[in-house]
Amino acid sequence: MFQLDLKSGVPICDQIVNGFIKLKALGLISGGEQMPSVRSLALKFSINPNTVQKAYAVLEAQGIIYSVKGRGSFVSDDDRGHSAVIARAKEDFCTAVERARDLGLSAFELKEIVDGVYKTPKSGHKEEKNADG
Amino acid sequence: MFQLDLKSGVPICDQIVNGFIKLKALGLISGGEQMPSVRSLALKFSINPNTVQKAYAVLEAQGIIYSVKGRGSFVSDDDRGHSAVIARAKEDFCTAVERARDLGLSAFELKEIVDGVYKTPKSGHKEEKNADG
Amino acid sequence: MFQLDLKSGVPICDQIVNGFIKLKALGLISGGEQMPSVRSLALKFSINPNTVQKAYAVLEAQGIIYSVKGRGSFVSDDDRGHSAVIARAKEDFCTAVERARDLGLSAFELKEIVDGVYKTPKSGHKEEKNADG
Amino acid sequence: MFQLDLKSGVPICDQIVNGFIKLKALGLISGGEQMPSVRSLALKFSINPNTVQKAYAVLEAQGIIYSVKGRGSFVSDDDRGHSAVIARAKEDFCTAVERARDLGLSAFELKEIVDGVYKTPKSGHKEEKNADG
DNA sequence: GTGGTCTAGACCACA
DNA sequence: GTGGTCTAGACCACA
């Protein structure tokens, strides 16, 4: 699974949404698989079930998961929603590049940063420390 | 000048701050030059003068501009602030890379995007439409 | 038979009820014919027997089927229920028309859609993929 | 404006979302126009601000409106989102036609119903009576 | 048990 | 003032 950083200022709901998108991107969850129930995840993270519910609603709206009343939530088989999210991520990265360029950074500098990040071991060094609640 | 995108979700204050940083980075405004008055800018963008005031305060705190009582605000000569801004820009870009990596994008893909953006002429401004308020 | 779409958001019970109504309307099942047992249907669809039970109860209440203690459920001969079902189908369609009208669609557009659907061969079943659970 | 029917069983949030979509379809609200504030609408309908907030979030996700923190919510200039909603409405109507056809109704009967609905004066006779709260 | 909706009320950033 | 997030807790339909 992933972890929450309640101190980060990033809305908990967003962290949950992004957490599952990452898990799917990494192949750690896949089509048809059952999601943890709203209540169980809320309990696990010591947060309010409404927050989890909201995150699941966003994931469902994006086509990443689907929910069946009385049965649970499941990872979607169809990857269109997930692909759309990835496509948007590329656009976002493109915007980030433009911003850096506008501030005078060179293409060389940016590519160095890219390499630097990819050479770093798995875990992002400064994000998502632990769920303290 | 630059434009505001009220729909972007980015706080107006931040957009103003970043707008002037960009202008200075591009050399479109330079040391000693007088900044537009708070009132005139607020009028031009149809936004609250307090918001402009706050943006100017941030710019001053970062050493990008300085204000002279009774005369107005001016673009700073020295580069005290500017290098800090560049450092932060690098951090922001680094974060963008990490996010893209977490979603499964490869270093190769990202570098391709970087090259694509830098090959494009200046007009990368396909976003930030207009301030309608 | 028919198929369930667990992702549709339509309650499973309703899907079963509507499925059998459709089968009878199309003449694919007829008076006196025995219905699949609750258990077998639940097994086939990998759903809760209680859900099938409830669907059968609704069908019986509408006069579409009848049950004989110890023997099972059977398709009803008479059309008591069927005409009521047709009446409700008309109401449902009427509601759909009103909704479309409220969104600005013209009567002409709707009638075109009607013609389009009726000109299509039988296989209008582009929805209702499969029960995966 | 539109009215809510708290007894209808239709989620209040959905009623608000559909209400504004209808208003836009009818041209009663248009691009750039300011939406009532979350709080004022909640007060007007005697419902919880969270419910209005949720409705506005859905409208924003669909591109029908956009929100600016501290300023308010506005009807979107760009009609792509609204058009997508209309397109989906056509699909929904198409599904309704298929369902009616599957139950044995003829194209002629359906077109009669369409004409009937469009000949009826403006207000749907059975929907959305009044907000009692 | 499951997801979904709603109220009540606190608190935050922003203008 | 504005929108946005979150908690706490009730209640519902459905399986």
Side-chain angles (χ1 to χ4, degrees), chain D residues 71-111:
Chain D
R71 295 194 79 192
S73 299
F74 303 85
V75 179
S76 181
D77 305 300
D78 172 353
D79 273 349
R80 271 179 299 175
H82 189 250
S83 305
V85 168
I86 300 296
R88 221 182 37 193
K90 279 189 185 177
E91 282 175 35
D92 287 350
F93 180 74
C94 188
T95 303
V97 172
E98 287 172 352
R99 209 165 8 181
R101 182 198 55 184
D102 289 346
L103 291 175
L105 298 186
S106 71
F108 181 76
E109 285 174 297
L110 298 193
K111 287 194 266 189

Side-chain angles (χ1 to χ4, degrees), chain D residues 48-73:
Chain D
N48 192 292
N50 281 335
T51 305
V52 178
Q53 174 79 327
K54 193 176 166 188
Y56 277 25
V58 170
L59 286 166
E60 186 164 12
Q62 296 186 341
I64 310 284
I65 68 172
Y66 65 95
S67 298
V68 186
K69 239 186 201 173
R71 295 194 79 192
S73 299

Side-chain angles (χ1 to χ4, degrees), chain C residues 22-61:
Chain C
K22 217 185 272 188
L23 287 181
K24 188 170 182 187
L26 294 172
L28 295 175
I29 57 175
S30 46
E33 193 168 325
Q34 182 153 18
M35 297 281 285
S37 77
V38 168
R39 279 186 208 168
S40 70
L41 203 61
L43 214 73
K44 177 176 174 186
F45 284 140
S46 306
I47 58 177
N48 194 312
N50 290 331
T51 307
V52 179
Q53 186 66 271
K54 192 176 162 189
Y56 277 25
V58 171
L59 286 166
E60 187 167 5

Side-chain angles (χ1 to χ4, degrees), chain A residues 53-65:
Chain A
Q53 175 78 327
K54 194 177 166 188
Y56 276 25
V58 170
L59 287 166
E60 184 164 12
Q62 295 187 343
I64 311 284
I65 66 171

Side-chain angles (χ1 to χ4, degrees), chain B residues 18-63:
Chain B
N18 291 328
F20 281 112
I21 287 177
K22 217 185 273 188
L23 287 180
K24 189 170 182 186
L26 294 171
L28 295 175
I29 58 176
S30 46
E33 193 168 324
Q34 181 153 18
M35 296 282 285
S37 78
V38 169
R39 278 187 210 168
S40 71
L41 203 61
L43 215 72
K44 177 176 174 185
F45 284 140
S46 306
I47 57 177
N48 195 312
N50 291 332
T51 307
V52 180
Q53 187 66 269
K54 192 175 164 191
Y56 276 26
V58 171
L59 286 166
E60 188 167 3
Q62 296 190 346

